[in-house]
């Protein structure tokens, strides 16, 4: 319930504090009238006639509702003028009280109100009679009489107004009483007009008694006209209220305060004590049960009526009305008997054909007011507007939710995370950092291509569920897009962020079972923290992405951002344009690194390696400009430059009686180019180099990506006679058994294992296993990174055939390679037609 200052409300029983003094006033004034006034009853026929007229006029009531009470403006002033003229004042008091009693009994008011109204009528009439007795005696129907009767009738009205104001102030506070007094001039003017009408009728009767007939006809006509006018006025007011309600709904719906503006205006429009909105739980929307009540600012989260009222209306899809003017539903009537409800209308709210809730109003204001059949169409129209407004509000809410959440995982998206991160970094807390963790799911592309996107969606959903369940309750978990998830929260330090990232990664790594398939899903995790790594959300997101990219180079790692990552990324970005220019102007060079048989040190080939000396940045690492080439579409040109240079040098060596095979590295992307084998064939033909002298090296992750996409290209290359080699073997997750289905000739053991052989028994065992199994599969084995005599001896012992590394030679440009040939190759091995043999291994 919204906070508000409730109005003062007391029990009706306390009305005796006003009723008692009024009764005393009536008794005192009546005693004075009995002593000083003419003796009752006076003209009995006239008394009966005036009593009948008073009862009749009391049924024509103009009600002005003030909070729970109705201010009644009754045309009893007209018969009062006649009564005070023709009858003794004490008789007038008795007639007025009896007429009031008939009216109270007819309306079935509560006892406190009956007694108050009787005391008010008696007190006002007796006080007016006392004023009449105190004034000069009435003689004839002249102006003097008009003034006396006008004053007497207005005294009666003023005392009634004072009594009503006093009781409303007592029960509902001084604000309510002041509101009534402030609105009193209009009713008092009506009372004065009624008194004048009464005087006119008096003059007509005094001049001719038969004028009573004309007056009766005129009164009936006025009543009929008044009823038509009252109905028109009520319809006009209803249309105005409907317009105001519609405008309020439209304005508040855009601001998000729809229900607040809605219920209070509906309650006011229907002049009800309560207005209740009920929306059952639906989808992500929880149940809504809110009520607006008179005298309360804000909304209550309870309803005055039992749930059967709302449920019956929802289930039947029809309006449910209980009260004096409606046929009773026995079940609902029995349920309402235990609640302070005199009448209720409940209308179903529809969205198309479905019922999405109910709107109900309870207890027409004032004890004399009740809902009627005429109120149902009005309320149903209101409910139709409300249903449309609620549906639009929920639609806007749904669109707003979808704009900030991922449709697959229901997690906040990058926009939502960015907004939350912007808010978090604005709040500086000592000894705390705002941590941002980026989880990049490895191998999702392979899952999509092998099992379909439905399986990939299941993997993403499961990762999202595990992150949501494992992350601290204070963390905001979201999906950045694709296979990336973000987690942001406050922690003590960057070290705590790294520890949390490792824990969450371990939770994600648990095997995932989909139907009969079990998957192992790993992630690379990047970590950035505020304020160390950025002061705004955009910078933190950029840098955590760089950290995650760096983490991919070491499978399953957790990488904290450091400035070196950004400088490398910026450098790569700047190299994009320079690489195109370098390719256009032949600025890239091709270096050659010898490949040697380990047993007898014979030169069996060279590997062609691209090198780039940038005029501003100096030597650019191959992994940097190859990555730039892949992302800028220059990869095919770069590959062709190396192929052309390698084939040209191979042709030249053959013409010089030094035929050497060449090896060229390929990117994984090249294998999905279906035109690449044709291009290789054209280059072999152009340079007249036999296909068996060309070896194409593909990294393990490129040739064994979990799909069959590389196989057609590899098969076509093998059919050309080109040798195929798997480079960097051992760094991925594949096994030698996977190679059996691929058309490859050679395996190159990654340098990280070869260089660790001499010191790490594990690396030695891995190299030994690769060599043994490869030889069983009929594959040649090349050891990369041979840099020491001890490593060479170990490789010889386990039977490795070929090696390359700094022990033999670094990659050399063509001119230096020729000099190296002359210095390292034994001349007799060249003249004899054998493979060139090294003279000395430096």
């Amino acid at each position: 319930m919204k906070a508000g200052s409730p109005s003062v409300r007391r029990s009706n029983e306390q009305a005796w504090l006003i009723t008692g003094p009024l009764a005393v006033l009536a008794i005192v004034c009546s005693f004075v009238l009995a002593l000083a006034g003419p003796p009752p009853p006076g003209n009995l026929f006239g008394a009966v006639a005036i009593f009948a007229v008073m009862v009749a006029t009391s049924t024509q009531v103009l009600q002005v509702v003030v909070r729970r009470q109705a201010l009644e403006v009754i045309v009893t002033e007209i018969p009062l003028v006649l009564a005070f003229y023709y009858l003794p004042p004490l008789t007038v008091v008795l007639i007025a009280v009896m007429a009031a009693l008939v009216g109270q009994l007819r309306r079935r008011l509560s006892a406190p109100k009956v007694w108050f109204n009787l005391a008010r009528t008696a007190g006002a009439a007796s006080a007016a009679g006392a004023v009449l007795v105190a004034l000069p005696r009435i003689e004839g129907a002249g102006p003097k009489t008009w003034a006396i009767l006008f004053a007497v009738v207005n005294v009666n009205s003023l005392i009634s107004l004072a009594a009503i104001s006093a009781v409303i102030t007592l029960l509902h506070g001084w604000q309510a009483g002041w509101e009534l007094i402030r609105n009193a001039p209009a009713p008092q003017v009506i009372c004065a007009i009624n008194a004048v009408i009464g005087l006119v009728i008096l003059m007509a009767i005094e001049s001719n008694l038969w004028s009573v007939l004309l007056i009766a006809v005129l009164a009936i006509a006025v009543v009929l006209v008044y009823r038509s006018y009252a109905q028109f006025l009520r319809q006009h007011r209803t249309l105005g209220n409907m317009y105001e309600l519609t405008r309020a709904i439209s304005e508040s719906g855009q601001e998000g305060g729809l229900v607040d503006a809605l219920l209070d205006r509906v309650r006011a429009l229907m002049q009800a004590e309560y207005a209740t909105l009920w929306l059952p739980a639906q989808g992500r929307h929880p149940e809504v049960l809110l009520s607006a009540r008179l005298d309360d600012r804000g909304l209550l989260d309870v309803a005055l009526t039992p749930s059967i009222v709302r449920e019956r209306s929802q289930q039947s899809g029809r309006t449910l009305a209980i009260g004096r003017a409606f046929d009773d539903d026995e079940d609902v009537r029995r349920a309402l008997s235990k609640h302070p409800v005199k009448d209720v209308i409940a209308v179903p709210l529809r969205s198309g054909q479905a019922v999405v809730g109910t709107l109900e109003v309870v207890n027409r204001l004032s004890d004399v007011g009740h809902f009627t059949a005429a109120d149902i169409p009005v309320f149903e129209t209101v409910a139709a507007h409300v249903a449309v407004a609620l549906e639009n509000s929920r639609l806007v809410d749904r669109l707003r939710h979808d704009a900030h959440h991922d449709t697959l995982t229901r997690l906040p998206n990058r926009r939502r995370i960015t907004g939350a991160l912007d808010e978090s970094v604005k709040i500086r807390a000592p000894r705390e950092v705002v941590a941002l963790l980026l989880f990049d799911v490895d191998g999702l592309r392979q899952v999509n291509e092998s099992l379909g996107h439905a399986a990939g969606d299941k993997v993403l959903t499961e990762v999202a569920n595990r992150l949501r369940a494992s992350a601290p309750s204070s963390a905001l978990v979201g999906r950045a897009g694709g296979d990336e998830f973000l987690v942001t929260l406050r922690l003590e330090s960057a070290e705590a962020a790294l520890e949390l990232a490792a824990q969450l990664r371990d939770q994600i790594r648990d095997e995932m079972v989909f139907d009969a398939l079990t998957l192992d899903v790993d992630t690379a995790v990047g970590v950035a923290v505020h304020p160390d790594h950025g002061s705004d959300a955009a910078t933190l997101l950029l840098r955590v992405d760089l950290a995650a990219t760096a983490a991919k180079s070491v499978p399953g790692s957790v990488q904290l951002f450091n400035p070196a990552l950004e400088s490398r990324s910026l450098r790569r970005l700047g190299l994009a344009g320079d690489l195109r220019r370098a390719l256009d102007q032949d600025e890239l060079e091709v270096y050659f690194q010898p490949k040697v048989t380990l047993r007898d040190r014979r030169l069996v080939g060279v590997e062609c390696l691209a090198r780039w000396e940038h005029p501003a940045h100096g030597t650019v690492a191959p992994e940097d400009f190859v990555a730039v080439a892949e992302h800028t579409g220059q990869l095919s040109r770069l590959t062709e430059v190396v192929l052309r240079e390698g084939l040209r040098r191979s042709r030249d060596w053959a013409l010089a009686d030094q035929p050497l095979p060449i090896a060229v590295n390929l990117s994984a992307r090249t294998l999905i180019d279906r035109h690449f084998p044709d291009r290789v064939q054209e280059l072999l033909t152009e340079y007249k180099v036999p296909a068996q002298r060309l070896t194409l090296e593909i990294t393990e992750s490129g040739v064994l990506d979990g799909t069959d996409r590389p196989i057609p290209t590899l098969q076509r290359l093998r059919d050309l006679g080109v040798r195929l080699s798997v480079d960097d073997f051992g760094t991925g997750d594949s096994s030698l058994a996977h190679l059996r289905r691929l058309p490859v000739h050679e395996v190159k053991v990654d340098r990280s294992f070869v260089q660790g052989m001499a010191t790490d028994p594990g690396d030695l065992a891995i190299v030994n296993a690769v060599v043994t199994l490869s030889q069983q599969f009929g594959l040649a084995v090349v050891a990369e990174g041979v840099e020491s005599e001890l490593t060479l001896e170990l490789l010889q012992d386990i039977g490795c055939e070929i090696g390359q590394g700094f022990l033999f030679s670094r990659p050399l440009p063509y001119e230096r390679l020729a000099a190296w040939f002359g210095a390292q190759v034994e001349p007799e091995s060249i003249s004899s037609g054998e493979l060139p043999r090294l003279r000395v291994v430096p």
Side-chain angles (χ1 to χ4, degrees), residues 236-349:
H236 176 75
R237 185 171 60 249
T238 300
L239 287 176
N241 291 338
M242 287 290 295
Y243 170 75
E244 293 296 332
L245 174 65
T246 304
R247 188 174 67 176
I249 288 174
S250 176
E251 293 175 354
S252 60
Q254 297 174 358
E255 299 170 358
L258 175 63
V259 178
D260 297 67
L262 170 73
L263 285 179
D264 193 59
R265 289 182 177 269
V266 169
R267 186 205 59 74
L269 187 149
M270 298 302 298
Q271 297 183 20
E273 181 183 358
Y274 280 84
T276 300
L277 174 69
W278 177 57
L279 301 174
Q282 181 181 10
R284 66 179 182 84
H285 298 286
E287 181 184 19
V288 174
L289 180 63
L290 293 172
S291 297
R293 183 176 64 176
L294 184 71
D295 296 337
D296 281 310
R297 288 183 291 179
L299 301 179
L300 305 171
D301 56 359
V302 296
L304 185 63
T305 57
S307 60
I308 187 175
V309 175
R310 295 175 289 279
E311 293 171 356
R312 184 67 59 87
S313 178
Q314 182 200 28
Q315 293 169 2
S316 64
R318 295 180 299 177
T319 299
L320 180 66
I322 303 295
R324 177 184 295 181
F326 310 110
D327 294 334
D328 291 345
D329 184 312
E330 291 300 328
D331 293 340
V332 178
R333 172 64 69 181
R334 283 194 296 268
L336 289 176
S337 63
K338 301 178 181 179
H339 297 77
V341 175
K342 66 177 180 179
D343 49 8
V344 58
I345 302 177
V347 178
L349 300 176

Side-chain angles (χ1 to χ4, degrees), residues 753-796:
F753 299 110
V754 175
Q755 291 174 348
M757 290 175 58
T759 58
D760 190 339
D763 288 344
L764 177 60
I766 291 173
V767 175
N768 189 15
V770 171
V771 171
T772 302
L773 292 175
S774 297
Q775 291 173 347
Q776 291 180 1
F777 291 151
L779 301 175
V781 181
V782 178
E784 296 181 294
V786 181
E787 297 182 359
S788 67
E789 290 288 350
L790 179 57
T791 301
L792 175 63
E793 293 176 2
L794 291 174
L795 288 171
Q796 290 174 341

Side-chain angles (χ1 to χ4, degrees), residues 279-457:
L279 301 174
Q282 181 181 10
R284 66 179 182 84
H285 298 286
E287 181 184 19
V288 174
L289 180 63
L290 293 172
S291 297
R293 183 176 64 176
L294 184 71
D295 296 337
D296 281 310
R297 288 183 291 179
L299 301 179
L300 305 171
D301 56 359
V302 296
L304 185 63
T305 57
S307 60
I308 187 175
V309 175
R310 295 175 289 279
E311 293 171 356
R312 184 67 59 87
S313 178
Q314 182 200 28
Q315 293 169 2
S316 64
R318 295 180 299 177
T319 299
L320 180 66
I322 303 295
R324 177 184 295 181
F326 310 110
D327 294 334
D328 291 345
D329 184 312
E330 291 300 328
D331 293 340
V332 178
R333 172 64 69 181
R334 283 194 296 268
L336 289 176
S337 63
K338 301 178 181 179
H339 297 77
V341 175
K342 66 177 180 179
D343 49 8
V344 58
I345 302 177
V347 178
L349 300 176
R350 296 183 179 276
S351 175
Q353 298 298 320
V355 177
V356 297
T358 62
L359 183 66
E360 63 185 69
V361 287
V362 182
N363 292 350
R364 192 63 172 265
L365 286 179
S366 84
D367 290 333
V368 299
H370 293 274
F371 293 122
T372 64
D375 293 315
I376 292 180
V378 175
F379 193 40
E380 288 178 340
T381 304
V382 171
H385 283 285
V386 171
V388 172
L390 287 173
E391 185 66 18
N392 291 340
S393 178
R394 283 195 168 183
L395 176 60
V396 171
D397 180 62
R398 185 161 57 249
L399 291 175
R400 187 179 293 113
H401 179 274
D402 291 345
H404 292 89
H405 289 77
D406 174 54
T407 55
L408 175 64
T409 62
R410 301 299 180 185
L411 291 176
N413 58 16
R414 179 180 286 270
R415 180 185 300 175
R416 174 72 179 87
I417 292 286
T418 302
L421 201 54
D422 272 328
E423 293 299 321
S424 296
V425 298
K426 292 178 182 177
I427 304 173
R428 296 294 184 93
R431 296 183 298 277
E432 276 190 356
V433 298
V434 178
L436 184 62
L437 285 56
L438 176 61
F439 294 80
D440 192 314
V441 181
D442 290 336
L444 184 65
R445 187 187 69 179
Q446 288 79 3
V447 174
N448 287 332
E449 293 174 350
S450 303
L451 305 176
H453 286 278
D457 290 346

Side-chain angles (χ1 to χ4, degrees), residues 548-565:
T549 302
K552 292 179 183 179
S553 61
V554 181
S557 72
V558 177
Q559 175 69 52
L560 181 66
F561 171 80
N562 61 77
L565 299 176

